[in-house]
Amino acid sequence: MKVSEAVCVSSIEIMSSLLSECLYEISQQAAPPCKDYHQLTVTQTQVVFKVWRVSCPLRHEKPQPAENKKSHTDFLQDSHAQGHIGRVFGPHTLDYVVNLCWHRYDYLVRLPDWLLLNILSFLEWADIKNISQTCKRLQQLCCSEGFWAQGTAGARYGQSEVTMEGVSPTLQRRLVVFHRRQVLSRLAQQQQHSKRKNSVWHL
């Protein structure tokens, strides 16, 4: 085995270790007039779909879920199951589940917080704004105290004007405050450099 192939295999094994047994889970009530409760779980080997039928409360019946399990291969070949999930949870959820069944994993959001914070600390102002809009977890990290207290210590913010459209108010406030601190820090450094230059010139 070549060195490049060995490195590739090792990288795949490391990334695979980040995957938990449960890759994705979502639950919600069906749209009116149906009141049934649906749950969808995607594991590393199966797609599990459960339905709780809502019965009359006067009967005092305890509803038992109807469960349907399929392997990833079977689910990809079952257009009826895909259509049902698309109707209940929407097309975006269906596309995401299909990608998981094809082993197209979103490794980035599955990284531990400490590693993601370290990666985010190297992003520019506009990149933080954009990545915060990609998913709920990255938005929470970009607005977290840990990110702004430590994660951005080595960030390189060189832009003075950034469009704030589509950014949460919390992140907007943090971006503005951080940018002002960066500007003041640069001004202080320039003044110190100027003083040192003048003192050397007088000597």
Side-chain angles (χ1 to χ4, degrees):
M1 182 182 293
K2 296 180 180 179
V3 175
S4 58
E5 293 177 350
V7 172
C8 182
V9 171
S10 178
S11 300
I12 293 174
E13 291 176 350
I14 293 173
M15 298 303 289
S16 298
S17 67
L18 298 172
L19 300 175
S20 60
E21 177 59 26
C22 180
L23 300 176
Y24 180 66
E25 188 173 69
I26 185 174
S27 57
Q28 68 181 39
Q29 194 171 33
C34 180
K35 296 295 183 180
D36 296 342
Y37 190 79
H38 300 264
Q39 183 183 58
L40 175 66
T41 304
V42 182
T43 69
Q44 291 197 31
T45 57
Q46 291 182 321
V47 177
V48 183
F49 185 71
K50 294 182 180 181
V51 181
W52 284 262
R53 305 292 180 185
V54 176
S55 59
C56 178
L58 297 178
R59 297 178 182 177
H60 302 288
E61 296 177 350
K62 187 176 181 180
Q64 297 296 325
E67 186 176 75
N68 186 10
K69 294 182 178 181
K70 290 185 178 295
S71 67
H72 289 182
T73 303
D74 291 342
F75 177 78
L76 291 171
Q77 297 174 352
D78 192 336
S79 58
H80 176 74
Q82 292 183 33
H84 187 59
I85 287 176
R87 286 189 296 272
V88 174
F89 297 102
H92 294 295
T93 298
L94 175 60
D95 290 343
Y96 185 64
V97 171
V98 168
N99 280 320
L100 290 177
C101 291
W102 280 112
H103 298 169
R104 298 167 184 160
Y105 303 127
D106 46 347
Y107 286 109
L108 180 62
V109 296
R110 299 177 190 275
L111 294 175
D113 285 353
W114 66 269
L115 185 53
L116 268 177
L117 288 173
N118 188 45
I119 293 172
L120 292 174
S121 69
F122 291 95
L123 297 183
E124 301 290 346
W125 173 303
D127 296 328
I128 291 178
K129 177 183 76 72
N130 292 332
I131 201 170
S132 70
Q133 301 175 59
T134 58
C135 71
K136 186 176 181 180
R137 187 184 177 209
L138 289 175
Q139 182 187 47
Q140 290 174 343
L141 280 177
C142 287
C143 293
S144 68
E145 293 292 339
F147 175 62
W148 291 97
Q150 300 175 1
T152 57
R156 304 178 304 278
Y157 289 89
Q159 300 182 16
S160 58
E161 294 182 0
V162 178
T163 302
M164 290 293 197
E165 183 179 356
V167 181
S168 67
T170 301
L171 185 56
Q172 285 187 30
R173 290 192 295 270
R174 291 184 182 277
L175 284 171
V176 170
V177 171
F178 188 82
H179 176 65
R180 288 174 178 172
R181 289 178 179 174
Q182 289 295 104
V183 171
L184 292 174
S185 177
R186 291 195 191 98
L187 288 175
Q189 291 176 0
Q190 290 175 0
Q191 290 176 357
Q192 289 180 359
H193 179 72
S194 178
K195 288 180 179 179
R196 290 173 184 172
K197 187 176 181 181
N198 291 334
S199 62
V200 171
W201 174 258
H202 289 301
L203 291 175

